[in-house]
């Protein structure tokens, strides 16, 4: 019943639906008068949240990349140790789950077989489970002890776009809520983060308005055979998902890698034929982000010294990156934990336009299905 709404493909339509989907995911959960976060379907007590000793996250594909970001958010804002697993590995490795642990399963459809198996394995070991999902009546939502519904709306395409950004939004809200309950996040800091979150949809819209720049880059790089995506910290999750989007829809081999691991192998791959996408944004108000940025700049210069072609995702107006990289995809400024929600958008557009130039079916890539029912 879905239609393309005037867009050429469902993929492009869903990329452009992200500002509204992100807004729908956070807006009903923030009280207009008090700024308090209300997660009404997370029916675990504050005492249970307060006594948590560890959080496990199990997911697959883009949902796992959102989970990696969730780990950074939860550990930063709520100070709870968090581990992230491939759902396909979690259920079959006899995981060690102790008392007072929570297992978060993340899935767009709520029917992914591996993720459901991970949820059931966690429950058998005595863990409470929290589902982050886009389908209310799905099996995973019904079996979870608690749930956060993402308001992404119908996602038709195989390669997840708006489901990913709404999962990120839901996990950010959860981390803020958990930090509030556990008193690890001062109220003023929580209000600042919520104020910044409310500005994200508008900032995504400003990136979408520059789609033509991604289309132009696609002309240059659509014949490349390999891509390397690099990111540090929470931005590594974006490197992974940017690479996944490209390989899914364009059939180009692409790999996401921690930028700090370049000297441990990937440097051998760099030559004049390898495009390297580097996440080089910075939150100038965060000393940790500034340090990450400085180290990422060093990585960028290493790639250039080896004749690599650098596509940098950087803050608008960053002259140092502009002077060093071959091409720049600019994004507005934002706090460190929210910058990746902006970074992924131009990478989605780049993957889309490269795939179009290669004649690929962006909505239905070969050999892939929407909900993986078999391990």
């Amino acid at each position: 019943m879905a239609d393309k709404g005037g867009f050429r493909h469902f993929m492009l339509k869903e990329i452009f639906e992200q500002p509204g989907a992100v807004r729908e995911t956070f807006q009903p959960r923030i009280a207009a008068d008090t700024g308090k976060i209300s997660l009404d379907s997370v029916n675990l007590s504050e005492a249970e949240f307060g006594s948590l000793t560890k959080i496990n996250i199990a997911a697959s594909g883009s949902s796992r990349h959102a989970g990696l970001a969730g780990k950074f958010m939860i550990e930063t804002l709520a100070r709870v140790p968090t581990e992230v697993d491939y759902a396909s590995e979690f259920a079959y490795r006899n995981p060690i789950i102790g008392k007072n642990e929570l297992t978060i399963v993340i899935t767009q459809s709520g029917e992914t077989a591996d993720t459901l198996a991970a949820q059931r394995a966690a429950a058998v070991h005595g863990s409470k489970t929290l589902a982050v999902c886009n389908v209310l009546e799905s099996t995973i939502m019904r079996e979870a002890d608690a749930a956060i519904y993402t308001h992404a709306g119908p996602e038709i395409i195989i390669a997840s776009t708006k489901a990913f950004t709404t999962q990120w939004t839901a996990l950010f809200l959860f981390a803020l809520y958990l930090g509030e309950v556990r008193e690890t996040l001062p109220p003023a800091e929580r209000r600042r983060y919520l104020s910044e979150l409310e500005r994200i949809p508008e900032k995504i819209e400003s990136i979408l308005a520059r789609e033509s720049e991604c289309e132009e880059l696609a002309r240059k790089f659509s014949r490349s055979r390999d891509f390397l995506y690099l990111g540090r910290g929470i931005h590594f999750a974006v490197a992974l998902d940017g690479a996944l989007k490209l390989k899914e829809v364009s059939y180009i081999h692409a790999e996401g890698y921690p930028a700090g691991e370049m000297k441990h192998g990937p440097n051998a791959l760099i030559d004049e034929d390898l495009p390297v996408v580097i996440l080089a944004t910075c939150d100038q108000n965060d000393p940790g982000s500034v340090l990450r940025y400085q180290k990422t700049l060093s990585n960028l210069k290493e790639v250039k010294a080896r004749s690599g072609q650098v596509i940098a995702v950087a803050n608008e107006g960053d002259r140092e990156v502009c002077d060093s990289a071959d091409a720049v995809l600019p994004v507005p400024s934002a706090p460190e934990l929210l910058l990746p929600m902006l970074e992924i958008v131009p990478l989605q557009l780049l993957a889309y336009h490269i795939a179009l130039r290669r004649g690929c079916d962006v909505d239905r890539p070969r050999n892939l299905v929407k909900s993986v029912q078999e391990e």
Side-chain angles (χ1 to χ4, degrees), residues 2-160:
D3 64 71
K4 295 182 179 128
F7 289 91
R8 185 176 176 185
H9 298 95
F10 281 112
M11 182 175 181
L12 189 61
K13 175 176 181 281
E14 291 175 13
I15 290 172
F16 272 77
E17 286 176 341
Q18 287 177 114
V22 167
R23 189 178 288 112
E24 285 297 313
T25 298
F26 72 72
Q27 208 164 54
R29 295 179 167 122
I30 303 173
D33 51 349
T34 64
K36 284 280 201 178
I37 299 169
S38 174
L39 300 180
D40 52 0
S41 55
V42 179
N43 52 358
L44 300 177
S45 69
E46 290 192 5
E48 287 176 297
F49 282 126
S51 63
L52 286 177
T53 57
K54 183 182 150 192
I55 291 175
N56 309 292
I57 297 177
S60 298
S62 286
S63 295
R64 178 177 170 272
H65 303 156
L68 287 170
K71 168 185 168 68
F72 277 90
M73 296 172 185
I74 292 166
E75 291 187 341
T76 299
L77 301 175
R79 308 308 296 161
V80 182
T82 304
E83 291 186 3
V84 184
D85 266 275
Y86 290 98
S88 57
E89 296 290 332
F90 183 87
Y92 310 107
R93 66 171 176 83
N94 193 21
I96 299 172
I97 299 178
K99 292 178 63 177
N100 300 323
E101 293 188 17
L102 175 69
T103 300
I104 300 175
V105 289
I106 310 169
T107 165
Q108 191 282 139
S109 69
E111 303 293 345
T112 306
D114 288 329
T115 310
L116 181 57
Q119 182 183 44
R120 290 171 174 170
V124 166
H125 284 78
S127 172
K128 294 286 189 180
T129 62
L130 167 66
V132 177
C133 182
N134 191 43
V135 182
L136 270 175
E137 298 303 318
S138 62
T139 304
I140 281 174
M141 290 285 265
R142 290 197 305 269
E143 294 192 11
D145 296 299
I148 302 177
Y149 172 59
T150 57
H151 293 264
E155 192 177 59
I156 306 302
I157 64 168
I158 301 292
S160 180

Side-chain angles (χ1 to χ4, degrees), residues 279-330:
L279 286 309
T281 56
C282 182
D283 174 4
Q284 294 290 347
N285 298 314
D286 184 330
S289 180
V290 172
L291 177 60
R292 171 191 61 78
Y293 170 76
Q294 291 169 346
K295 288 183 173 292
T296 302
L297 276 181
S298 295
N299 296 129
L300 191 159
K301 291 170 183 177
E302 285 180 26
V303 173
K304 288 304 302 173
R306 292 164 175 80
S307 302
Q309 301 182 73
V310 173
I311 302 169
V313 180
N315 295 93
E316 294 171 343
D318 188 330
R319 293 310 313 167
E320 188 164 8
V321 173
C322 287
D323 291 343
S324 302
D326 296 281
V328 176
L329 295 171

